[in-house]
């Protein structure tokens, strides 16, 4: 039995029908590399079953403490049912990209069953007219609750499910699974009593680590002066409103070699800088076409992993979000990228100055009951229309493998990602990469963005403009 951290627990407390807190991937496979050139659903079930020991996520479920007086626990589920978690559907003809996106959006809109292990796979066949995909390919739409996994840990689980070749060699894992009994409520309440005393004490012990914080922040701000445009408040956009229960899904694929050309044209630019700039140009064009473009530059939330790299098996969240002014007040794509490069350097310096890992540890100092109550009150008060947004959209980057992967002998040919929509954040950009391609995927509230294919056009145009841009 393992207790969730304060950060992970907040994803549980924020789960609603309008804001399901799961992330995922849309993976497409070519079965021609598998034995006999086919992969049947029963073979997929057998294959996944043989990989379950590769990650603790697959067979553990959430157990909540009565009255939310303490953070929830993970318990190994003795009634685990693989066929519940792995589903099977097919697209109707013609089976094109738009149909696949519509189906993905419908599936992502549905919350996970919080009483079972928090993941689902949907095998999707009938991809007969998806561009750039070999005939006979199938997709797997993955959903993982964000309380259980962040982007980096998701890649670790992906490694358990994939091979480096199509030979279907058996895999052995160090983990030996053992079912656990459901803990008694009185036992959980007794633990809660102890934790609600000890957690604030541990938090006070971490306070001394924050003594250098004021000086570090002053130094960081001195080294990175901001232009006046970046100091402006966060504007409100159509995406920063209360969410509905429905989603849209869309994405674009770009050549990694083209991203490299952009970086060569703008020395010092990272892949993340380039993708943030593409997202900024996309939002600028889309909102201008709707005549809803704000004068102040948009601001993005950019998640950054703060994992120590110590080899911990923890699959939970060790991420902070830095804010980056997106330079959308600039019409020139090159100037916008240079603006973002400076903003990213500043935000990274401030993130390092505040010692994000220590702040994450301090987040667990508050008694869990108060944290859960605070989350519920915030959701019920619906403050979205009353306060300014913290940022206008999220751009997260989860780098993927550079070599081909195989699932049940089938070669992966595409890797699309997705994120979550929090209340007041109706547009999420997810960057993933695989082999020689990079993917920019969006998840959006359908009431706010009824035309995701137009946004995809904006993403492609933003990329083309950046590819042609030169420094000034």
């Amino acid at each position: 039995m393992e207790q969730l951290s304060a950060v992970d627990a907040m994803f549980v407390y924020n789960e609603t029908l309008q804001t399901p807190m799961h992330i995922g991937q849309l993976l497409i496979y070519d079965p021609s590399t598998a034995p006999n050139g086919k992969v049947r659903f029963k073979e997929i079930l057998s294959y996944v079953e043989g990989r379950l020991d590769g990650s603790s996520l697959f067979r553990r479920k959430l157990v909540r403490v009565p009255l939310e007086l303490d953070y929830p626990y993970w318990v190994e589920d003795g009634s685990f049912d693989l066929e519940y978690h792995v589903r099977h559907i097919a697209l109707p003809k013609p089976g094109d990209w738009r149909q696949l996106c519509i189906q993905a959006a419908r599936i992502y809109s549905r919350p996970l069953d919080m009483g079972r292990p928090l993941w689902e796979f949907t095998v999707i066949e009938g991809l007969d007219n998806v561009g750039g995909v070999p005939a006979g390919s199938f997709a797997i739409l993955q959903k993982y609750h964000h309380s259980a996994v962040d982007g980096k840990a998701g890649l670790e689980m992906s490694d358990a499910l994939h091979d480096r070749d199509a030979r279907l060699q058996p895999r052995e894992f160090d983990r030996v699974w053992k079912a656990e009994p459901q803990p008694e409520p009185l036992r959980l309440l007794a633990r809660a009593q102890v934790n609600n005393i000890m957690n604030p004490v541990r938090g006070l012990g971490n306070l001394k680590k924050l003594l250098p914080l004021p000086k570090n922040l002053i130094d960081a701000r001195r080294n990175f002066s901001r232009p006046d445009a970046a100091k402006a408040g966060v504007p409100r956009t159509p995406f920063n409103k209360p969410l509905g229960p429905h989603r849209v899904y869309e994405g674009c694929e770009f050549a990694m070699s083209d991203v490299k050309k952009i970086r060569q044209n703008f020395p010092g630019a990272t892949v993340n800088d380039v993708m943030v700039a593409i997202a900024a140009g996309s939002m600028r064009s889309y909102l201008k076409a709707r005549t809803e473009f704000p004068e102040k530059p948009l601001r993005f939330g950019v998640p950054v992993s703060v994992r120590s790299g110590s080899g911990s098996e923890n699959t939970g969240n060790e991420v902070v979000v830095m804010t980056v002014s997106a330079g959308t007040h600039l019409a020139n794509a090159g100037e916008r990228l240079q603006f973002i490069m400076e903003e990213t350097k500043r935000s990274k310096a401030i993130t390092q100055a505040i010692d994000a890992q220590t702040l994450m540890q301090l987040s667990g100092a508050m008694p869990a009951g108060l944290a859960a109550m605070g989350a519920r009150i915030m959701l019920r008060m619906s403050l979205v229309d009353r306060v300014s947004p913290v940022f206008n959209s999220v751009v997260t980057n989860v780098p993927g493998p550079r070599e081909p992967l195989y699932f049940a002998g089938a070669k992966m040919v595409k890797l699309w990602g997705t994120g979550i929509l929090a209340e007041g954040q109706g547009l999420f950009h997810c960057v993933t990469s695989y082999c020689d391609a990079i993917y920019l995927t969006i998840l959006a509230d359908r009431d706010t963005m009824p035309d995701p294919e137009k946004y995809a056009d904006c993403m492609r145009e933003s990329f083309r403009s950046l590819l042609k841009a030169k420094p000034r």
Side-chain angles (χ1 to χ4, degrees):
M1 191 167 74
E2 177 187 339
Q3 192 167 31
L4 276 69
S5 69
V7 174
D8 294 341
M10 291 307 295
F11 288 109
V12 176
Y13 300 150
N14 287 325
E15 174 85 12
T16 70
L17 290 175
Q18 280 72 37
T19 57
M21 294 282 113
H22 52 254
I23 58 177
Q25 298 180 108
L26 177 62
L27 312 173
I28 300 181
Y29 300 92
D30 175 10
S32 66
T33 58
N36 302 319
K38 294 181 180 179
V39 179
R40 302 184 185 279
F41 181 65
K42 64 180 181 180
E43 294 169 338
I44 289 176
L45 286 173
S46 177
Y47 180 85
V48 173
E49 186 174 27
R51 306 303 175 101
L52 294 177
D53 285 340
S55 174
S56 60
L57 167 76
F58 291 121
R59 287 181 290 205
R60 68 183 188 183
K61 67 178 181 180
L62 199 68
V63 173
R64 301 175 83 148
V65 177
L67 304 177
E68 306 286 12
L69 292 178
D70 201 358
Y71 298 124
Y73 289 85
W74 296 117
V75 174
E76 300 295 334
D77 184 10
S79 58
F80 174 77
D81 178 6
L82 179 63
E83 292 191 29
Y84 171 84
H85 293 274
V86 184
R87 290 97 183 272
H88 187 202
I89 63 173
L91 296 180
K93 290 184 181 301
D96 57 23
W97 172 248
R98 184 91 295 274
Q99 286 176 289
L100 182 58
C101 287
I102 290 171
Q103 190 60 251
R106 288 172 178 167
I107 295 171
Y108 278 132
S109 298
R110 296 195 291 265
L112 292 164
D113 184 343
M114 300 296 285
R116 296 177 181 264
L118 294 177
W119 64 277
E120 288 177 10
F121 292 170
T122 303
V123 179
I124 307 174
E125 295 187 303
L127 314 185
D128 299 326
N129 286 284
V130 175
V133 173
S137 295
F138 64 92
I140 297 183
L141 189 67
Q142 299 180 348
K143 291 165 58 174
Y144 302 107
H145 202 274
H146 215 334
S147 63
V149 58
D150 64 9
K152 185 172 181 180
L155 290 176
E156 293 169 359
M157 291 185 299
S158 179
D159 182 66
L161 288 167
H162 292 94
D163 298 321
R164 295 299 188 271
D165 56 54
R167 294 182 297 168
L168 290 177
Q169 295 291 321
R171 292 271 298 275
E172 293 185 2
F173 302 97
D174 295 335
R175 183 179 292 102
V176 177
W177 181 77
K178 183 180 179 181
E180 292 180 287
Q182 185 85 1
E184 294 291 333
L186 289 178
R187 179 189 171 196
L188 295 176
L189 287 172
R191 280 196 176 200
Q193 209 169 14
V194 174
N195 287 340
N196 285 327
I197 294 172
M198 294 305 300
N199 285 346
V201 173
R202 296 188 191 104
L204 289 173
N206 285 317
L207 283 176
K208 62 183 179 182
K209 297 180 182 179
L210 296 183
L211 292 177
L213 177 60
K215 180 180 182 303
N216 291 345
L217 279 175
I218 291 172
D219 290 344
R221 293 183 185 279
R222 184 187 299 121
N223 293 333
F224 292 93
S225 58
R226 304 183 75 186
D228 291 339
K231 298 176 184 178
V234 183
R236 186 174 295 280
T237 75
F239 298 111
N240 306 120
K241 296 179 180 178
L243 298 177
H246 307 297
R247 302 288 180 263
V248 293
Y249 186 84
E250 193 40 282
C252 292
E253 176 182 352
F254 307 110
M256 190 66 78
S257 58
D258 285 340
V259 174
K260 186 177 180 179
K261 289 177 185 176
I262 296 171
R263 295 181 63 196
Q264 289 172 341
N265 290 336
F266 293 85
T270 65
V271 171
N272 201 61
D273 292 335
V274 173
M275 301 313 290
V276 169
I278 294 169
S282 306
M283 286 192 74
R284 187 179 193 277
S285 297
Y286 183 78
L287 292 174
K288 273 187 168 293
R290 290 176 46 160
T291 64
E292 296 177 286
F293 179 67
E295 293 183 4
K296 296 179 182 177
L298 302 176
R299 190 171 297 176
F300 288 154
V302 181
V304 177
S305 174
V306 293
R307 286 181 181 272
S308 61
S310 60
S312 170
E313 291 188 2
N314 174 42
T315 57
N317 291 272
E318 297 182 28
V319 172
V320 295
V321 179
M322 59 183 197
T323 60
V324 175
S325 183
T328 48
H329 62 297
L330 299 169
N332 181 275
E335 291 180 10
R336 200 157 50 238
L337 173 56
Q338 291 175 305
F339 184 93
I340 289 168
M341 289 167 61
E342 291 302 314
E343 272 290 286
T344 301
K345 289 177 185 176
R346 181 198 62 83
S347 294
K348 284 181 178 178
I350 290 177
T351 299
Q352 292 170 353
I354 63 176
D355 188 1
Q357 282 192 323
T358 298
L359 290 182
M360 289 181 67
Q361 293 168 358
L362 283 171
S363 68
M366 179 184 295
L370 290 178
M373 184 185 301
R376 288 195 297 269
I377 290 174
M378 290 293 289
L379 288 171
R380 289 174 182 172
M381 289 180 67
S382 187
L383 300 177
V384 174
D385 286 329
R386 307 180 196 177
V387 298
S388 297
V390 179
F391 38 76
N392 301 110
S393 181
V394 174
V395 182
T396 188
N397 186 0
V398 185
R402 298 302 303 271
E403 68 279 354
L405 297 181
Y406 296 81
F407 176 91
K411 183 180 179 180
M412 184 195 296
V413 293
K414 306 286 183 184
L415 191 163
W416 309 88
T418 192
I420 58 176
L421 299 186
E423 193 63 68
Q425 298 292 330
L427 175 61
F428 191 106
H429 299 81
C430 183
V431 179
T432 51
S433 58
Y434 175 60
C435 291
D436 297 323
I438 191 163
Y439 303 85
L440 180 57
T441 315
I442 61 155
L443 185 72
D445 178 54
R446 194 171 77 189
D447 293 336
T448 304
M449 185 187 285
D451 50 358
E453 64 278 6
K454 290 185 179 179
Y455 195 86
D457 290 339
C458 293
M459 289 194 287
R460 285 186 281 267
E461 178 56 35
S462 178
F463 186 80
R464 286 191 294 265
S465 296
L466 202 53
L467 192 57
K468 293 184 291 186
K470 301 294 181 184
R472 290 193 177 185

